[in-house]
Amino acid sequence: MLIIPIIASLADHFGYDQDSNGRKGMLLAAAFGTFLPAFSILPANAPNMLLSGMTEALYNAPFPMGNTCSCTSLFWDWESYS
């Protein structure tokens, strides 16, 4: 992990000793903060990417990425996608 040496130097800058609980807490928070979210994001992202890819391939109707419109407007007129 690239972030561990950065957090270790930041803990040194704040004055935490090598065996202090503050330093250990900073290192654990950095490790879990970058490691654990991937377990919740990546498995949830795979079905969404599959759904959007199938929709684009079958109906020529891409999902608007980063847009705030509702997805119901995407399927409003089925005849225009065939």
Side-chain angles (χ1 to χ4, degrees):
M1 292 175 119
L2 183 63
I3 200 164
I4 296 297
I6 296 170
I7 299 300
S9 67
L10 188 63
D12 289 338
H13 178 72
F14 287 142
Y16 289 113
D17 294 331
Q18 194 73 11
D19 293 327
S20 68
N21 287 336
R23 181 185 181 94
K24 291 175 185 176
M26 287 177 69
L27 292 171
L28 281 173
F32 284 119
T34 58
F35 178 70
L36 290 179
F39 286 115
S40 64
I41 294 170
L42 293 178
N45 196 25
N48 292 333
M49 294 306 293
L50 181 67
L51 174 66
S52 63
M54 285 175 42
T55 303
E56 187 171 348
L58 293 174
Y59 302 110
N60 195 21
F63 278 100
M65 299 294 178
N67 205 347
T68 57
C69 68
S70 69
C71 290
T72 56
S73 64
L74 180 67
F75 300 108
W76 190 259
D77 186 14
W78 282 101
E79 287 79 24
S80 65
Y81 297 123
S82 55

